[in-house]
Amino acid sequence: MITIAWMTVREMVRRRFAIAALLGTLVLVALTGWGLQHIHTIHKQHGHALSPLEIRAVTAALVPLIAYLFSFILAFAAIVLGATMLSAEIESGVLLPVLARPISRGAVVVGKALGLSALLCAYAAISGGLEFAVIDAVTGYQPPHPVAAIAALAALAIVMLCLTLAVASRLQTVATSIVAVAGFGVSWIVGIVASFGPVYHNETLLRIGVVSQLLLPSDALWRVAVYQLQPAVLVATFGLSGWPGPFFVLSPPPPAMLAWSAVWVVAVTAIAVRSFAARDV
Amino acid sequence: MPTASASPAIGAVALAKRYGTVTALSDLTLRVERGSIFGFLGANGAGKTTAVKMLLGLVRPTSGTAQVLGAPVGDREARRSIGYLPELFRYPEWLSAREVLAFHASLLGASGTQRARDIDRALAAVGLSPRADDRVATYSKGMQQRLGLGVALLGNPTLVVLDEPTSALDPLGRYDVRALLAGLRERGTTVFLNSHLLTEVELVCDRIAIVKSGRVIASGTREDILGEQRGLRIRAQADGASLHAALAPFGHLTEHSGVLVLPDVAHERTPEIVAALVAARARVYAVEPIVQTLEERFIDLASSP
Ligand SMILES: Nc1ncnc2c1ncn2[C@@H]1O[C@H](COP(=O)(O)OP(=O)(O)O)[C@@H](O)[C@H]1O
Ligand SMILES: [Mg+2]
């Protein structure tokens, strides 16, 4: 298992995927820094520049958007990596001599899951850390709980990875990617729709949202991440009226949802292991 | 309970595999003794690869049972002693041959100096030592197949399963593989060799099974499969009709461009025939047995309904 996990990490590094991802992220971070720089040049109607407080307020509203971008990158990276490291390796035959070794199918799946999770977490930490550092340097704004937000985004990536591996244990690369992207997309849209629930006090919408989050906790984890990025002032200001959509979260999913996400990851990995163990290769 | 070493290397009983409506293997019963080189021969699509994958636990049998090295198929510990070269061999292109072998050595749980020596030995055995540190991506198909053989030989396996091991090799490479197999036989390693290349099988295998449409249609030693060989070809001259008269007692006689053929006569009767020809005052230039090759026999068997 450790051998497989280590091999997975080595593959990413040796094939320069890791370095490519980091370079791409550097460009992205630089672009957001350059964009935020422009807040300084916004002038109020009567010609005065924004005060530092106002700059921080505008930035606070923009940070969830930037986090959103990173959540997409992480989710799609998890899907692509999961599909290529399992489906594609079965299709190409690279896995055949490996599976003939004295190693269980479960160790192969879990090893790959661990290796890829470690990479996704490392990527989330590095890119998130860089991004928040640049935001701070340019605007002087620091979101309240950046580390917790990054952890929630990493957890989102792990959730998508586990879903992808479970599907990849049976389907081919392209089909796996489609199913995983569709799952992510549906959970995302249902999350947005359900966010109107509290605003209109609609029980059905609320319930649909919870069911969707139970089935695939990716959107729940996104909401946890956003909540960690919102300053208390903002929550207090908009708190009474409520604010639907993915960028503002009044009440984050309860801690039980976090516990459920952990259970979900373990359960779906177990499904992936069982399904892979039973298949012909 | 038979002990592990008394059991055959492979014992399969009524092994079958269906993919939906396609029957890949319908009824495989075979026994491969330890220390032998076993040739599993069949046309494309006969079910050879399916059989091998079931023996390695990569594919689940639809019905039937099999034991490999005394353990049920797919047993994890038994796989420690099995080397496998798949038919469609692919190794990580971003690694060097040495690194691929090191990866497999760690999957086998090997470590230390013994492991480094094993890897060097495997590289040397398949003739890859000079290119051992180049990336697999730069290898030709034949070199990749050599690497696959090296992977299969790693860690001194008791049983080596090779699925079409020379499909990508040139005649020289095939010769090397035959020498390699001879070396394995000397060490007492059991080899299960899938092939549709008859000379390959004929030259190295102790026992052979011919599979057709998922069923074994003949098995045994090469001689068992060929059966009793019959027929003689004769070149001789004599005056008048005495030649035909002398050969008349030996059954059906045909003549093609001056060569007389006795298609049904047993090889053992050659001295009798020569004596009869000499008695008829014939001048005998040649009396040669007609030998059916495994290829001809295989084509006979494979094309019979
Ligand atoms: N995964 C599979 N799905 C469906 N049919 C298969 C599969 N694998 C093999 N077959 C079929 O089983 C038969 C035997 O195939 P195979 O064992 O590869 O033959 P061989 O190795 O002797 O060429 C063929 O008809 C092949 O089409
Ligand atoms: Mg085959």
Side-chain angles (χ1 to χ4, degrees):
Chain A
M1 194 160 87
I2 299 300
T3 308
I4 300 282
W6 174 231
M7 204 60 178
T8 308
V9 173
R10 262 178 85 193
E11 175 161 3
M12 292 301 126
V13 175
R14 281 281 282 278
R15 295 179 79 178
R16 306 211 177 86
F17 290 170
I19 194 80
L22 286 180
L23 286 179
T25 306
L26 279 182
V27 172
L28 201 65
V29 169
L31 278 176
T32 54
W34 178 75
L36 289 172
Q37 183 68 42
H38 283 73
I39 298 176
H40 291 288
T41 62
I42 298 176
H43 288 253
K44 284 191 184 170
Q45 281 162 344
H46 44 89
H48 290 288
L50 294 182
S51 71
L53 185 67
E54 286 168 319
I55 288 178
R56 288 209 286 275
V58 173
T59 310
L62 288 176
V63 160
L65 274 162
I66 296 171
Y68 208 44
L69 187 65
F70 278 97
S71 82
F72 263 71
I73 293 175
L74 277 166
F76 286 111
I79 291 170
V80 169
L81 293 178
T84 47
M85 294 306 284
L86 198 57
S87 291
E89 287 202 352
I90 297 165
E91 278 162 57
S92 71
V94 175
L95 223 41
L96 217 50
V98 175
L99 294 177
R101 289 302 179 194
I103 174 175
S104 71
R105 300 260 182 112
V108 172
V109 173
V110 175
K112 284 181 183 290
L114 286 179
L116 293 175
S117 296
L119 285 163
L120 289 166
C121 289
Y123 177 78
I126 294 172
S127 60
L130 269 177
E131 183 63 62
F132 288 133
V134 166
I135 290 174
D136 186 15
V138 173
T139 67
Y141 171 73
Q142 283 177 335
H145 305 291
V147 175
I150 289 174
L153 290 181
L156 187 162
I158 292 174
V159 160
M160 289 316 297
L161 176 68
C162 292
L163 173 73
T164 309
L165 289 176
V167 180
S169 67
R170 283 302 162 120
L171 298 188
Q172 298 202 326
T173 316
V174 176
T176 299
S177 311
I178 291 173
V179 171
V181 170
F184 182 70
V186 168
S187 152
W188 173 59
I189 289 171
V190 173
I192 292 175
V193 172
S195 70
F196 285 89
V199 182
Y200 300 112
H201 304 288
N202 185 320
E203 281 294 317
T204 317
L205 280 181
L206 277 172
R207 226 169 285 136
I208 289 174
V210 171
V211 169
S212 159
Q213 290 184 344
L214 289 175
L215 286 175
L216 180 61
S218 58
D219 190 62
L221 290 166
W222 160 249
R223 279 166 197 281
V224 171
V226 177
Y227 189 74
Q228 302 299 330
L229 295 174
Q230 293 168 162
V233 192
L234 214 63
V235 179
T237 315
F238 293 102
L240 295 176
S241 52
W243 195 265
F247 299 120
F248 182 77
V249 175
L250 187 54
S251 54
M257 188 53 92
L258 288 182
W260 168 249
S261 300
V263 172
W264 189 95
V265 162
V266 172
V268 171
T269 305
I271 291 172
V273 166
R274 285 195 63 141
S275 144
F276 186 54
R279 75 167 277 168
D280 294 339
V281 292
Chain B
M1 276 291 285
T3 64
S5 57
S7 60
I10 298 172
V13 180
L15 214 53
K17 180 68 186 179
R18 272 184 298 282
Y19 289 106
T21 55
V22 181
T23 302
L25 201 65
S26 66
D27 174 15
L28 179 70
T29 299
L30 62 77
R31 187 183 163 92
V32 177
E33 295 305 334
R34 289 182 184 244
S36 65
I37 299 190
F38 190 89
F40 200 52
L41 201 59
N44 290 324
K48 307 183 293 295
T49 298
T50 304
V52 155
K53 284 186 169 179
M54 283 198 285
L55 293 174
L56 287 161
L58 297 170
V59 162
R60 292 188 158 202
T62 310
S63 61
T65 59
Q67 291 212 322
V68 177
L69 301 177
V73 279
D75 181 83
R76 184 131 52 106
E77 272 316 299
R79 283 197 308 226
R80 191 174 298 285
S81 316
I82 304 175
Y84 170 48
L85 167 70
E87 179 179 31
L88 298 173
F89 49 89
R90 270 289 286 279
Y91 297 89
E93 299 197 328
W94 49 281
L95 291 175
S96 69
R98 194 186 300 281
E99 289 168 328
V100 171
L101 288 164
F103 172 49
H104 278 267
S106 47
L107 290 176
L108 284 168
S111 61
T113 51
Q114 174 65 32
R115 166 176 143 158
R117 232 180 303 131
D118 265 1
I119 292 172
D120 282 332
R121 187 137 35 96
L123 285 166
V126 295
L128 274 182
S129 303
R131 296 285 304 271
D133 296 306
D134 293 347
R135 292 192 334 145
V136 173
T138 67
Y139 287 8
S140 71
K141 206 77 189 138
M143 290 170 67
Q144 291 187 30
Q145 193 159 35
R146 283 171 183 270
L147 170 58
L149 277 165
V151 170
L153 297 178
L154 196 68
N156 266 322
T158 317
L159 168 65
V160 177
V161 178
L162 307 175
D163 198 347
E164 314 266 7
T166 60
S167 58
L169 298 180
D170 56 26
L172 215 60
R174 291 184 181 185
Y175 175 82
D176 289 347
V177 169
R178 284 201 294 274
L180 205 73
L181 295 181
L184 288 175
R185 180 182 5 226
E186 253 159 53
R187 289 221 307 264
T189 308
T190 312
V191 179
F192 190 97
L193 175 68
N194 258 9
S195 188
H196 59 245
L197 299 172
L198 294 118
T199 41
E200 186 169 285
V201 169
E202 201 163 15
L203 286 171
V204 297
C205 292
D206 305 312
R207 297 185 81 81
I208 298 166
I210 296 182
V211 61
K212 182 191 172 189
S213 313
R215 202 180 287 277
V216 174
I217 52 171
S219 68
T221 62
R222 177 173 170 275
E223 286 68 34
D224 293 340
I225 289 179
L226 289 175
E228 198 196 346
Q229 295 271 10
R230 288 179 167 273
L232 287 176
R233 229 175 263 119
I234 298 163
R235 282 207 305 125
Q237 284 176 2
D239 302 324
S242 55
L243 206 52
H244 282 78
L247 293 175
F250 300 101
H252 182 60
L253 178 70
T254 59
E255 189 170 350
H256 303 287
S257 50
V259 179
L260 296 160
V261 177
L262 287 167
D264 301 323
V265 76
H267 290 173
E268 290 73 48
R269 299 189 69 187
T270 309
E272 271 179 70
I273 291 166
V274 173
L277 288 168
V278 171
R281 308 186 71 84
R283 293 176 296 281
V284 181
Y285 297 98
V287 178
E288 51 170 345
I290 297 173
V291 183
Q292 193 184 29
T293 62
L294 193 59
E295 179 161 343
E296 289 160 336
R297 179 74 187 136
F298 174 70
I299 290 168
D300 271 2
L301 285 167
S303 51
S304 63

